[in-house]
């Protein structure tokens, strides 16, 4: 089917903004031109792509399917353009990584430093999101590479390229508020204490909820946040027992202790992943070489 690329471009801007007027501003064309382009595309595809209303538009099921394919294509074109225009990067192109703020702070910084030292002219962009959301960014082609905690329910096994780290999760508390330092406690007994943990949008929360379910227990956290650092701060002032990856512990956490759990908590991994359906930029390949390499997951 011979359909002008510009029609798909207009569709992308309307679909991502859900507004004909906003799309016209971003494309520097009139709103009537946007509307006409969408009508032409719908006629060629022989099905409606949007549900119109006075205030905003919504994607039809057909429109959602089309956006799922158009969005990665648009992002791929942008990446190609930026790579060609960036003459100072020795042809490597921009390095765009997706990772949670915790992984960035406690794991990625030294490797970003190494990469920047080796390739000082290559632009580095980091998009912070939860590990679950990072997979969506990768699928849409919005980032070249993600570093995520694993298991990750959104990450298909085919996406995993490199296991870079293994770690354990721990419960931490302040001994001034919780007299558990010399004890070993079962998960069932832990339920009576206030649990501080990441919110349900995180792989860490997903992991702990699944762990409790495996032991036929219900997890009812006292506080759910989006920051491991804040969980540590709240544990320090005695608001509860925080659940965090062990790599988040540092010298500032010395007044806290790790609660001994009777059940053995399985290790988790950190993996670097790329989208196998998209070309891998040379900058991404070079960054992957800098990361440590552990045996692949079985």
């Amino acid at each position: 089917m011979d359909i002008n690329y510009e029609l798909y471009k207009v569709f992308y801007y309307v679909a991502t903004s859900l507004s004909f007027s906003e799309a016209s501003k971003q494309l520097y064309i009139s709103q009537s031109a946007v509307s006409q382009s969408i009508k032409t595309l719908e006629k060629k595809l022989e099905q409606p792509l949007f549900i119109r209303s006075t205030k905003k538009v919504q994607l039809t099921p057909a429109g959602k399917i089309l956006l799922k394919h158009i969005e990665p294509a648009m992002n791929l074109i942008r990446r190609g353009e930026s790579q060609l225009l960036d003459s100072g990067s020795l042809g490597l192109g921009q390095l765009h990584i997706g990772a949670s703020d915790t992984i960035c702070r406690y794991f990625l910084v030294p490797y970003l430093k190494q990469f920047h030292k080796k390739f000082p002219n290559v632009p580095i962009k980091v998009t912070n999101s939860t590990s679950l959301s990072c997979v969506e960014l990768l699928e849409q082609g919005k980032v070249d590479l993600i570093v995520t905690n694993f298991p990750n329910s959104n990450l298909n096994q085919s996406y995993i390229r490199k296991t870079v780290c293994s770690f354990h999760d721990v419960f931490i508390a302040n001994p001034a508020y919780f007299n558990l330092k010399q004890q070993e406690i079962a998960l069932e007994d832990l339920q009576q204490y206030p649990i501080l943990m990441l919110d349900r949008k995180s792989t860490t929360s997903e992991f702990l909820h699944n762990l409790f379910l495996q032991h036929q227990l219900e997890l009812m956290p006292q506080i759910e946040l989006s920051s491991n650092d804040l969980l540590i701060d709240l544990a320090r002032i005695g608001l509860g027992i925080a659940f965090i990856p062990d790599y988040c512990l540092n010298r500032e956490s010395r007044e806290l202790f790790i609660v001994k759990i009777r059940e053995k908590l399985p290790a988790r991994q950190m993996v670097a992943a790329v989208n196998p359906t998209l070309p891998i930029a040379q900058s991404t390949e070079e960054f992957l070489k800098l990361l440590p390499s552990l045996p692949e997951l079985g």
Side-chain angles (χ1 to χ4, degrees):
M1 186 180 294
D2 184 20
I3 298 179
N4 192 313
Y5 160 76
E6 289 298 324
L7 297 180
Y8 286 125
K9 184 178 179 181
V10 173
F11 165 80
Y12 168 77
Y13 279 93
V14 176
T16 51
S17 65
L18 293 179
S19 168
F20 279 60
S21 61
E22 183 61 30
S24 70
K25 293 177 184 177
Q26 294 177 4
L27 291 165
Y28 300 100
I29 60 176
S30 68
Q31 189 169 331
S32 61
V34 170
S35 180
Q36 187 58 48
S37 294
I38 296 300
K39 288 180 181 177
T40 301
L41 183 59
E42 289 176 325
K43 185 176 180 180
K44 286 182 175 289
L45 294 175
E46 299 181 348
Q47 51 192 312
L49 301 172
F50 295 98
I51 301 171
R52 279 83 163 171
S53 65
T54 53
K55 293 185 178 180
K56 65 176 184 178
V57 296
Q58 291 180 308
L59 286 163
T60 64
K64 291 178 182 178
I65 292 173
L66 185 59
L67 179 61
K68 187 176 180 181
H69 294 277
I70 294 298
E71 189 166 30
M74 292 293 296
N75 290 324
L76 187 58
I77 290 170
R78 287 171 178 167
R79 286 167 56 194
E81 288 176 341
S82 65
Q83 189 166 336
L84 289 174
L85 293 172
D86 186 16
S87 58
S89 66
L90 302 177
L92 295 182
Q94 174 182 264
L95 174 65
H96 192 172
I97 300 174
S100 69
D101 58 350
T102 300
I103 289 176
C104 284
R105 178 179 181 184
Y106 293 102
F107 178 78
L108 278 180
V109 169
Y111 302 104
L112 291 171
K113 181 180 179 180
Q114 287 181 44
F115 183 86
H116 182 60
K117 185 175 181 180
K118 188 174 182 181
F119 306 106
N121 295 318
V122 175
I124 299 174
K125 184 175 181 180
V126 179
T127 297
N128 276 155
S129 192
T130 65
S131 286
L132 291 171
S133 298
C134 280
V135 182
E136 297 175 6
L137 296 175
L138 188 63
E139 183 180 1
Q140 295 163 2
K142 291 183 176 179
V143 296
D144 304 312
L145 165 76
I146 64 171
V147 179
T148 168
N149 291 331
F150 190 87
N152 183 327
S153 59
N154 285 357
L155 188 64
N156 185 285
Q157 187 73 15
S158 64
Y159 281 75
I160 299 176
R161 288 293 302 266
K162 194 172 187 179
T163 305
V164 297
C165 175
S166 180
F167 64 92
H168 284 85
D169 297 277
V170 293
F171 291 94
I172 59 170
N174 188 329
Y177 297 91
F178 298 94
N179 187 25
L180 298 170
K181 196 170 185 179
Q182 306 303 323
Q183 300 182 39
E184 185 178 75
I185 185 170
L187 286 176
E188 183 177 6
D189 296 327
L190 196 64
Q191 290 178 301
Q192 64 183 292
Y193 296 96
I195 302 297
L196 318 177
M197 61 184 294
L198 294 179
D199 60 39
R200 291 302 295 263
K201 296 178 182 179
S202 69
T203 53
T204 300
S205 174
E206 189 178 66
F207 171 77
L208 188 58
H209 276 280
N210 288 338
L211 184 66
F212 268 65
L213 285 175
Q214 289 170 18
H215 290 84
Q216 299 181 327
L217 300 172
E218 184 179 8
L219 177 59
M220 299 290 290
Q222 180 82 15
I223 295 176
E224 293 178 289
L225 301 170
S226 60
S227 166
N228 279 304
D229 290 330
L230 189 52
L231 290 176
I232 294 172
D233 289 339
L234 296 186
R236 185 180 291 113
I237 63 173
L239 289 191
I241 298 174
F243 184 73
I244 63 168
D246 59 6
Y247 60 78
C248 295
L249 294 174
N250 53 36
R251 293 177 183 175
E252 298 174 0
S253 310
R254 281 183 296 186
E255 67 268 40
L256 300 170
F257 72 96
I258 296 176
V259 180
K260 297 175 184 177
I261 304 299
R262 187 169 302 161
E263 296 85 353
K264 184 177 180 181
L265 273 61
R268 287 198 291 159
Q269 291 75 34
M270 196 182 293
V271 300
V274 297
N275 189 335
T277 65
L278 299 175
I280 302 175
Q282 189 178 347
S283 57
T284 301
E285 292 281 10
E286 293 294 339
F287 187 76
L288 282 169
K289 292 177 184 177
L290 296 176
L291 297 177
S293 183
L294 272 65
E296 289 296 323
L297 302 178

